[in-house]
Amino acid sequence: LAQAVVLWLQPVRGAVQTALEMPKRGVHLCAEPDGLGAVVEVLLEGLRKAKKSKPLVIAVIGEKGTGKSTLQRYFVNQLLNEVPTVCYLDADLGQPELTTPGMVSLSTVSSPLLCSPHDSLGRHTSVLTVFAGAASSMSCPLLYLDAIRRAMLAFLQLNRDRGPMPLVFNTPGWVEGLGR
């Protein structure tokens, strides 16, 4: 259905280490923040190949405060240099980028993400917004997972209707348990 890229951010001696994995191609890359250019090049190469058949899905995972949102904004802006529209699945209930807290949303982004998150409200096209029960996944984990499932189904339908578009998946700093 899609070509997936997962980046795991973790603190490393005061810096952030980025691990990139493209399972189908067997590419593994670790880089310090100054090596993000290489990470972006691998992503763009994946995008160029995915354009022809499957959409590219990028998920950045890591604990709170590791730079996930900043990196995702950077990826969206870089992808917009290659394609006219990027899909953005906002699943960080407590600190969403393009919607209000407590919501899982799927949006299409056609202009760079340059504003702070609260200034981005209404600047991009909302495809689907689902209330997930609270500003934390701990309260209603099944409702949260169902909201993500619905957003992914909407993304797949959008790709069937409009052709392959990349997706950047904004994840919370939830790396164990039911979220903290």
Side-chain angles (χ1 to χ4, degrees), residues 2 5 18-19 54 56 66 90 103 105 156 158-159:
V5 176
T18 307
K54 300 176 184 175
L56 177 67
T66 55
D90 210 344
M103 305 288 187
S105 68
L156 293 172
L158 193 62
N159 273 266

Side-chain angles (χ1 to χ4, degrees), residues 7-9 16 18 36 39-40 43 60 66-77 168:
L7 292 115
W8 179 270
L9 300 183
V16 174
T18 307
L36 286 178
V39 174
V40 170
L43 290 176
V60 180
T66 55
K68 293 181 304 299
S69 296
T70 302
L71 189 57
Q72 290 164 0
R73 287 171 157 271
Y74 181 70
F75 288 151
V76 167
N77 294 343
V168 175

